[in-house]
Amino acid sequence: MKNLERLIKTYYDFPKKGIAFKDIFGIIQDPEVFRELILKMSSNKVIKNSEAIISIEARGFIFGSAISLQTSKPMVVARKPGKLPGELLKENYSLEYGKGTLSVQKDSLEKFNSYAIVDDLLATGGTIECVANLIRKSGKRVSGSVTVIELMELNGRCRFDFPVESMLCM
Ligand code: AMP
C-alpha cells in the first residue's frame, strides 16, 4: 500500500525519551486509504481462520471494528483497567514504553472458539502476548495477530507461535 506510509507521522521522544511514536490517526483522515487498508487487513488468513476478532484498546478498536463490519465477524474487546463491567479475566504486560493490565469480559470469550488479535502496532509484542494469554487461559485458540504497523527492529514476532500479519514494516 504505497499511500499508507505518508499518512503515518513519527513523533520523537513521545510519550517518553527514546521512543519514536507512530501516529496512525492520519490514516482515518483519508477514507480512501483507510478503506483500502481495511480491505487488506480483512482479507488475510489470520482473519479468515478466526471465528471472532479481539481488538485492543484504544487504537485497535478503530481497525478491529472496521474489519468486523467488513467481514461480518463478531468483535470482542480487551480493555485497560477500570473500563469494563462484569466478571473479568485480567493479565499484566509490558510494552515498548511502559507496563499495564488488560481485561476481557469472561462471558465475551466464552462465545467463540478462535480469535484474531487486532491492534494498530506491533512493537515488543508484550501487548499482543498478553491478549493471547487471556484467550488461551480461556481454552480458546489464537488464529494470529493483525496490525497496521510492525516495528521490525524490536522483533516482537519472535515471541509468537501463531501467524503475524502486518500491513507496513517500519
Ligand atoms: P508492544 O506491546 O511493545 O508491542 O506495544 C504495542 C502497543 O503499544 C500498541 O498498542 C501500540 O499502540 C503501542 N505502541 C508501542 N510502541 C509504539 C510506538 N512506537 N508508536 C505508537 N504506538 C506504540
Side-chain angles (χ1 to χ4, degrees), residues 14-158:
F14 179 87
K16 282 187 179 165
K17 202 162 174 49
I19 300 293
F21 187 85
K22 304 294 179 191
D23 177 6
I24 52 82
F25 289 117
I27 299 169
I28 52 177
Q29 291 164 24
D30 189 327
E32 292 275 305
V33 175
F34 184 45
R35 184 178 299 110
E36 195 188 336
L37 174 65
I38 294 304
L39 291 176
K40 195 171 173 216
M41 291 176 92
S42 300
S43 64
N44 74 69
K45 63 180 185 313
V46 170
I47 301 290
K48 287 198 170 128
N49 291 339
S50 68
E51 268 182 32
I53 288 149
I54 182 162
S55 64
I56 304 175
E57 185 173 1
R59 280 160 280 163
F61 293 175
I62 297 169
F63 302 99
S65 38
I67 293 168
S68 168
L69 202 59
Q70 173 62 29
T71 58
S72 298
K73 296 210 185 228
M75 184 180 92
V76 304
V77 295
R79 297 206 67 179
K80 291 166 186 165
K83 304 280 187 173
L84 281 175
E87 198 179 343
L88 304 179
L89 298 171
K90 294 181 187 173
E91 182 88 15
N92 298 322
Y93 67 105
S94 52
L95 74 165
E96 199 192 359
Y97 47 73
K99 284 179 191 302
T101 305
L102 286 171
S103 308
V104 289
Q105 285 172 315
K106 199 164 175 261
D107 60 359
S108 73
L109 280 188
E110 280 162 5
K111 291 184 188 146
F112 311 103
N113 289 314
S114 56
Y115 291 86
I117 303 170
V118 174
D119 203 0
D120 64 328
L121 183 142
L122 168 63
T124 65
T127 309
I128 287 174
E129 186 176 56
C130 172
V131 175
N133 289 341
L134 285 166
I135 295 166
R136 285 171 169 166
K137 277 184 183 168
S138 309
K140 307 295 180 159
R141 191 173 67 80
V142 178
S143 72
S145 71
V146 183
T147 57
V148 180
I149 300 170
E150 178 173 354
L151 300 182
M152 298 307 285
E153 65 181 17
L154 294 171
N155 204 18
R157 65 166 59 231
C158 75

